[in-house]
Amino acid sequence: MSEDSRKYRSANWFGAGAKDGFNHRAWMKNQGTPHDAFDGRPVIGICNSWSELTPCNAHLRDVAERVKRGVWEAGGFPLEFPVMSLGETLMRPTTMLFRNLMAMDVEESIRANPLDGVVLLSGCDKTQPAMMMGAASCDLPTVVITGGPMLNGKFQGQDIGSGTDVWRFSEDLRAGKMTLADFMEAENCMSRSNGHCMTMGTASTMASMTESLGLTLPGASAVPAVDANRYRIAHLVGRRIVDMVKEDLRFSKVVTRKAFENAVRVNAAIGGSTNAIIHLIALAGRLGVELTIDDFDRLARDVPLLVNLMPNGKYLMEDYYYAGGLPVVVRSLAENGLLNDDVVTVNGASLTANAAEARNWNEDVIRPFDNPLNRNVGLAVLRGNLAPDGAVIKPSAATPALLNHRGRAVVFESIEELRAKVEDDDLDIDETCVMVLKGAGPKGYPGMPEVGNFPLPAKILRKGITDMVRISDARMSGTAYGAVVLHVSPESAAGGPLALVQTGDMIELDVANRRLHLDVSDTELARRKAAWTPPPTPMERGYVRLYHDHVMQAHEGCDLDFLVGGSGAPIPRESH
Ligand code: FES
């Protein structure tokens, strides 16, 4: 064993003498590991969310192999291990219910094992924040490799985007503008390769946030899953994480308040998902960094929308990669004084220094700062007697005329009631009404599903109208669009004012003034509150009960209250 080895955490397992050292090393040797792997070199955990039930992450075992090559080459000892995976398309009721459970798995798997540094392999939406949250609470040197987007979908000569075009096709089918045969054919054309959604949905957004926070190598987030450059990056990450252990460049040294400020501004410039608000606030909570929903509004107000990707624009991630990807956006924001320079990333240089030479190869995909797709859009945080702790709207994804609107509420007490009534032509509703959905918040559903862009009534769609003001305590898929007010906090199931709205009430939405107002007197609201009873607990036992009893509200990031903060990575007590 080398003199240096005692400085690494793993030496407490593999460097031990007598029976303990024998046990720790001998059982590892059943995998054919040579003895010199235990000579005190950095042990690198490759934390893999691979799963065939998570199609967006199905290629990550191949990525892990490339990481291992780099780790061996740099003199480290790589060990891959699985953690829970969260597949957006299959899991019910919603992956968000399990984000914190996966984060617990990641955290405890890292802490319990002889690891000195970690490479996180993520992909589908919730796998990204869950892995970062868990690793943040351990605070070892950490690099993230996001899985990369799928290639562009291709259908009838057009590019089609995952999620965004599914919403459009299903509305067209309901409105009689698309045949069932074409709808079925589109299904064969959407997902052409490995990778996550290739729109600027939550996965692409969170990959961009991961890079903006400094946790990936420069330019890594946009590389398509099947591009050889993704495998090259994985190899380089394997080398780099070994050096990061030697430099003791820990998670908390990279992801600071200034790094979050950079990420919030980048999120506005890329037209990122509203889900980023919840995930970044939860991650900040793990690190003891103060980050609020108001930061997303305040920091993003002077940031123009530069990236012309669905659902805000027309292109897809493959086009964005060819145009230059995130470094182009970073350079553009930095040159206009919108980013912090003094924030180190995992490669040891700052985010802005890494992007200093970035070139824009397609100015329609990534617009120049002085010719943006849209000005002053960002994410607007609304307040008022309907959302005392805040609500969120993404103006760039909404019909502009609806951003200042007063209308009669039509209330649905649950998503099931909405589904039962929305096709009924006798429903008393027109396009000037405000649709209100309750019971879809963190506790209410439970898990705060992505139903905030709920469907318009069929009779309104048939008029050719495609957007209405919709308000809920739900989230919205990052691939979706519409004049939808989301994340109303406190949620209805926690007794927030949303629970008190009745059909026929008037609601005012004024995005320019950040106002969401229920035009009902305080006296009447107090009377309704006194008569309100909370919904029953969704489950009596197990993780869902734990989640229900401890989940925090949307404006607090929806983490479990006892998971806020971190415990570092002390050496656990020995078992034998
Ligand atoms: Fe996995 Fe969209 S379904 S990223």
Side-chain angles (χ1 to χ4, degrees):
M1 183 180 304
S2 76
E3 203 53 38
D4 278 351
S5 64
R6 288 287 167 194
K7 70 185 176 188
Y8 300 132
R9 185 173 179 269
S10 59
N12 289 280
W13 284 262
F14 296 139
K19 176 173 71 72
D20 286 342
F22 181 100
N23 280 334
H24 298 145
R25 293 185 298 269
W27 266 260
M28 294 300 287
K29 287 179 177 177
N30 79 354
Q31 299 172 85
T33 311
H35 185 72
D36 61 5
F38 307 104
D39 63 1
R41 62 185 71 199
V43 178
I44 306 301
I46 302 172
C47 181
N48 201 339
S49 59
W50 166 86
S51 168
E52 289 181 343
L53 289 167
T54 307
C56 305
N57 297 28
H59 59 303
L60 293 181
R61 300 247 22 232
D62 293 338
V63 175
E65 290 305 318
R66 308 307 176 113
V67 178
K68 288 178 196 173
R69 290 184 193 176
V71 172
W72 282 119
E73 208 173 78
F77 177 18
L79 291 167
E80 180 186 357
F81 62 98
V83 286
M84 185 183 192
S85 193
L86 306 175
E88 202 65 30
T89 52
L90 299 182
M91 288 189 86
R92 295 182 179 180
T94 167
T95 50
M96 188 61 187
L97 177 61
F98 305 110
R99 182 199 64 179
N100 302 333
L101 181 61
M102 181 177 175
M104 290 168 81
D105 181 357
V106 170
E107 176 179 345
E108 302 306 339
S109 294
I110 293 172
R111 186 178 295 119
N113 280 297
L115 304 176
D116 303 308
V118 188
V119 177
L120 306 176
L121 304 188
S122 62
C124 199
D125 295 11
K126 308 304 177 298
T127 60
Q128 299 189 41
M131 295 186 98
M132 288 193 285
M133 288 162 66
S137 289
C138 289
D139 200 23
L140 290 176
T142 304
V143 184
V144 183
I145 303 176
T146 60
M150 291 186 280
L151 299 176
N152 290 0
K154 298 280 182 185
F155 175 60
Q156 296 182 340
Q158 305 287 321
D159 282 355
I160 56 172
S162 38
T164 304
D165 279 308
V166 182
W167 311 124
R168 185 167 63 82
F169 290 157
S170 66
E171 302 273 271
D172 284 353
L173 186 68
R174 291 175 65 221
K177 292 195 268 181
M178 186 178 197
T179 67
L180 183 60
D182 278 352
F183 186 75
M184 299 302 291
E185 180 56 21
E187 181 182 308
N188 294 327
C189 304
M190 183 75 77
S191 306
R192 295 177 47 238
S193 75
N194 288 134
H196 59 65
C197 288
M198 79 311 252
T199 43
M200 187 51 81
T202 302
S204 300
T205 299
M206 289 310 299
S208 305
M209 294 298 89
T210 307
E211 183 173 337
S212 308
L213 289 168
L215 286 168
T216 75
L217 291 186
S221 61
V223 182
V226 293
D227 192 297
N229 276 320
R230 181 150 299 282
Y231 293 97
R232 192 168 297 124
I233 286 167
H235 192 131
L236 295 173
V237 164
R239 290 183 191 165
R240 177 60 192 151
I241 186 67
V242 174
D243 285 341
M244 282 177 66
V245 171
K246 293 174 181 171
E247 296 164 12
D248 198 29
L249 183 54
R250 292 167 180 269
F251 197 113
S252 60
K253 293 181 182 173
V254 173
V255 185
T256 60
R257 164 77 195 184
K258 286 183 175 180
F260 278 107
E261 289 174 355
N262 285 348
V264 168
R265 286 200 155 124
V266 167
N267 190 48
I270 64 173
S273 163
T274 46
N275 286 323
I277 302 174
I278 291 175
H279 298 322
L280 291 185
I281 289 174
L283 178 61
R286 296 298 185 102
L287 293 160
V289 171
E290 177 82 13
L291 185 73
T292 69
I293 54 169
D294 296 309
D295 288 323
F296 286 82
D297 194 322
R298 183 177 57 79
L299 290 166
R301 278 199 183 207
D302 45 2
V303 179
L305 177 61
L306 301 180
V307 174
N308 189 5
L309 260 57
M310 296 182 197
N312 309 297
K314 66 178 181 180
Y315 294 104
L316 294 167
M317 287 297 286
E318 192 182 340
D319 310 303
Y320 176 59
Y321 170 56
Y322 300 146
L326 195 78
V328 177
V329 177
V330 168
R331 180 178 178 180
S332 186
L333 296 184
E335 288 180 345
N336 286 278
L338 289 169
L339 295 181
N340 299 309
D341 290 326
D342 50 342
V343 190
V344 73
T345 71
V346 292
N347 77 343
S350 73
L351 184 72
T352 52
N354 283 332
E357 304 297 323
R359 299 269 304 275
N360 188 347
W361 302 104
N362 188 330
E363 293 196 345
D364 196 37
V365 176
I366 306 175
R367 296 290 189 83
F369 194 87
D370 53 7
N371 181 29
L373 196 64
N374 211 330
R375 289 189 191 280
N376 302 321
V377 281
L379 295 166
V381 175
L382 310 169
R383 281 210 167 72
N385 67 347
L386 190 46
D389 290 330
V392 168
I393 187 169
K394 185 177 178 182
S396 61
T399 302
L402 292 174
L403 296 176
N404 188 354
H405 184 81
R406 178 181 163 90
R408 175 173 62 89
V410 176
V411 174
F412 305 92
E413 295 294 329
S414 67
I415 192 70
E416 289 77 19
E417 183 186 337
L418 177 111
R419 286 183 181 137
K421 291 182 175 174
V422 77
E423 303 286 346
D424 184 353
D425 286 352
D426 291 331
L427 183 66
D428 181 17
I429 191 168
D430 63 41
E431 59 272 26
T432 67
C433 290
V434 173
M435 299 174 76
V436 175
L437 172 65
K438 302 180 185 177
K443 288 179 188 290
Y445 194 67
M448 204 180 178
E450 292 184 331
V451 295
N453 60 317
F454 46 87
L456 305 191
K459 66 179 180 181
I460 290 177
L461 282 177
R462 286 198 299 273
K463 289 194 217 173
I465 290 161
T466 57
D467 201 4
M468 287 174 65
V469 175
R470 286 159 277 177
I471 299 174
S472 73
D473 43 15
R475 293 177 303 117
M476 173 174 82
S477 164
T479 62
Y481 49 85
V484 286
V485 176
L486 307 156
H487 310 183
V488 169
S489 188
E491 64 173 304
S492 59
L498 186 69
L500 312 179
V501 185
Q502 295 179 355
T503 293
D505 292 346
M506 297 303 290
I507 293 178
E508 293 169 15
L509 170 66
D510 180 356
V511 174
N513 290 302
R514 304 298 195 257
R515 184 163 180 267
L516 183 63
H517 181 69
L518 177 62
D519 197 1
V520 174
S521 71
D522 291 346
T523 310
E524 172 60 12
L525 288 177
R527 188 192 67 75
R528 292 181 191 177
K529 182 70 191 263
W532 179 80
T533 52
T537 304
M539 209 173 268
E540 282 305 315
R541 62 166 296 284
Y543 171 73
V544 176
R545 178 61 192 265
L546 179 79
Y547 169 91
H548 176 271
D549 290 352
H550 292 279
V551 69
M552 302 193 299
Q553 289 293 290
H555 70 284
E556 301 167 310
C558 299
D559 204 356
L560 303 185
D561 51 14
F562 60 87
L563 291 175
V564 172
S567 308
I571 314 301
R573 292 170 65 189
E574 293 176 45
S575 58
H576 52 260

